[in-house]
Amino acid sequence: MNKIIISGARIWDASGAAAFDGDVLIIGNRISAVSRSPGQLSRSGCQVIEAKGMTLMPGLTEGHAHLSFEAVTSTEDLITPPPEEHTLLTARVAKVLLDHGFTSAWGASEAKLRLGVAVRNEVDAGRLPGPRIRAGSLEITVTGGMGDESKLHNPRKGPSIIVDGPEEMRKAVRLCCREGCDNIKLDVSGDPFYPNTPANTTPMSYEEILMAVDTAHAYGRKVNAHTRSIGGTQACLKAGVDVLFHCEYSDEKTLDMFEEAKDRVFVVPTVSLFHTIVKNEAAGYGLSAEIGGYMGIPGLLEASVATHTALRKRGIRHVIGGDYGFAWSRQGSNARDLQFFVDYYGYTPAGALRCGTANGGALMTSANGERMGEVKEGDLADLLLVDGDPLANLSLLCDASRLKLIMKDGAVYKNETGVVQHRAAA
């Protein structure tokens, strides 16, 4: 069993406490000891990584992963790739996330049913590099809902399963569970990209949502929901949905319902997609700020700021994850969410980092029972060594070259600390 000591680092453990100088001992795939006195842990038989001048922190969790999205500009980019090429694309994205310090990925949904499943299995078997993956299903929607790309004259199949009524929902969820998906994705509300079902509408019924939750939970799986509307969010909270995405529109009742559910629910604001449109970063792909204005994106962004600032104050567990994978919001730039949480929702840098580490770890733990997300004895050893202080400059985490050590499950994936590792005598 491997024994590794990371020595002399500035440790930010994600517990809420201040950073401190110390050493960390990893045995096997777990953190065995954390010392606040450098040099006090026995180095006998250990591989030693000297980390003076660097910050040791937990690995990041992407809370809204679309592993099969790579530089997407339209739904066609999700429909047309053959499954063989699309599987390779998904594997590439998994590696990109790990290269950028994301040691866990919570699957939101994928473009084909088993893409996340296949790559997850290969990563778990050690044959492909990638983060811990909770494989997302196809999106499940209803006729006329977000994700339904068909017209009567053109029965076009989009990257979704279309159901109507609780019994069709039961069958669709059972299918996703049978095929190995960990997370079931529901398109509960409308969306600004679907003019006939705008963001404030709620095409999916409470009975359909409840059936999805009951069926998925019977299989031990989790449920994600795309919900922007007040009605959709309230229905999701009432039905027991595990992870809510977006949630821009709210009222006092909705906020109270979140607070009542705060010990079980996780929320992923996905602010990056709107930020890139409003700031004209998507203009080169035909989605300028002006077009975003016609779509109502600025108003949705304002609603997001109001809702998620209120949720932060109420102690709701936010997780970073911004719908990355579009051409204007590339995979690998996911850590931008940390600064967005500061700029839009009023988090401190440390608070934003907790959303990306401790809260993300708690989300993963909620599904598999394995503790992670902090530098704490007994937690799984998913760790980063950063050249510099990310608490003083969150953008360091957007630069893969500043991640000098990436460890996942106790195994060193990357080591560019500049100091040759050595093994202490037994």
Side-chain angles (χ1 to χ4, degrees), residues 278-415:
V278 170
K279 298 299 182 181
N280 227 30
E281 295 177 16
Y285 302 94
L287 190 54
S288 66
E290 182 180 9
I291 292 173
Y294 299 143
M295 296 168 63
I297 300 298
L300 272 167
L301 183 56
E302 289 177 9
S304 177
V305 170
T307 293
H308 293 292
T309 299
L311 292 179
R312 171 183 61 78
K313 292 177 180 178
R314 289 178 181 237
I316 306 305
R317 291 177 295 185
H318 278 133
V319 181
I320 66 171
D323 250 336
Y324 290 88
F326 293 93
W328 53 85
S329 192
R330 299 273 177 154
Q331 301 281 6
S333 66
N334 312 58
R336 294 181 74 193
D337 263 32
L338 297 166
Q339 189 63 50
F340 294 155
F341 272 37
V342 173
D343 295 341
Y344 288 108
Y345 305 138
Y347 276 99
T348 64
L353 271 180
R354 276 182 52 79
C355 293
T357 54
N359 288 0
L363 173 59
M364 298 295 291
T365 298
S366 74
N368 60 24
E370 293 278 16
R371 275 176 30 203
M372 64 187 83
E374 298 185 34
V375 185
K376 181 169 69 175
E377 293 177 7
D379 271 27
L380 293 174
D382 291 2
L383 301 168
L384 306 177
L385 263 179
V386 184
D387 178 15
D389 181 5
L391 291 169
N393 182 3
L394 290 170
S395 69
L396 295 178
L397 293 171
C398 297
D399 182 353
S401 71
R402 302 300 287 263
L403 305 180
K404 297 302 181 182
L405 178 81
I406 300 174
M407 175 181 286
K408 178 194 147 194
D409 207 38
V412 174
Y413 170 68
K414 172 186 177 182
N415 182 16

Side-chain angles (χ1 to χ4, degrees), residues 40-270:
Q40 296 302 302
L41 295 177
S42 172
R43 299 188 174 198
S44 176
C46 292
Q47 187 178 19
V48 180
I49 298 175
E50 303 289 352
K52 187 175 181 180
M54 289 178 273
T55 301
L56 181 69
M57 60 173 281
L60 295 163
T61 295
E62 166 55 58
H64 189 129
H66 291 299
L67 298 175
S68 55
F69 292 26
E70 184 185 55
V72 173
T73 59
S74 70
T75 309
E76 291 299 324
D77 296 331
L78 304 177
I79 296 172
T80 55
E84 297 85 356
E85 282 89 339
H86 217 148
T87 304
L88 295 173
L89 180 158
T90 306
R92 287 198 302 271
V93 171
K95 181 179 184 299
V96 166
L97 288 181
L98 185 57
D99 286 342
H100 287 82
F102 285 84
T103 52
S104 292
W106 184 272
S109 65
E110 300 304 344
K112 297 178 177 64
L113 183 57
R114 297 196 74 258
L115 290 174
V117 172
V119 173
R120 176 203 66 200
N121 291 346
E122 288 298 293
V123 169
D124 287 350
R127 292 187 288 264
L128 285 176
R132 302 175 186 279
I133 295 170
R134 289 278 305 178
S137 70
L138 277 167
E139 297 179 359
I140 302 177
T141 189
V142 297
T143 298
M146 189 192 94
D148 181 5
E149 303 278 340
S150 294
K151 297 292 183 183
L152 281 175
H153 67 281
N154 181 17
R156 181 173 181 267
K157 184 173 176 55
S160 57
I161 301 171
I162 300 170
V163 305
D164 290 293
E167 287 307 315
E168 289 187 12
M169 177 66 80
R170 189 202 306 265
K171 185 173 183 179
V173 174
R174 284 175 170 172
L175 172 67
C176 295
C177 292
R178 184 191 74 186
E179 296 302 308
C181 299
D182 299 307
N183 301 333
I184 307 302
K185 172 72 177 294
L186 307 180
D187 288 343
V188 172
S189 81
D191 189 81
F193 288 89
Y194 286 76
N196 292 331
T197 48
N200 64 330
T201 63
T202 311
M204 188 173 286
S205 72
Y206 170 73
E207 291 75 19
E208 290 165 331
I209 300 165
L210 181 61
M211 177 63 81
V213 171
D214 287 348
T215 305
H217 287 179
Y219 282 87
R221 313 301 167 85
K222 297 289 187 177
V223 179
N224 304 320
H226 165 106
T227 174
R228 301 189 189 276
S229 66
I230 290 175
T233 297
Q234 290 185 2
C236 288
L237 290 168
K238 182 181 176 183
V241 169
D242 302 289
V243 185
L244 279 68
F245 300 140
H246 314 306
C247 307
E248 289 86 12
Y249 293 120
S250 68
D251 57 15
E252 200 66 22
K253 179 182 176 181
T254 308
L255 297 175
D256 288 343
M257 290 178 70
F258 269 117
E259 191 162 4
E260 290 170 6
K262 70 179 181 180
D263 291 335
R264 69 161 188 83
V265 74
F266 294 85
V267 180
V268 189
T270 65

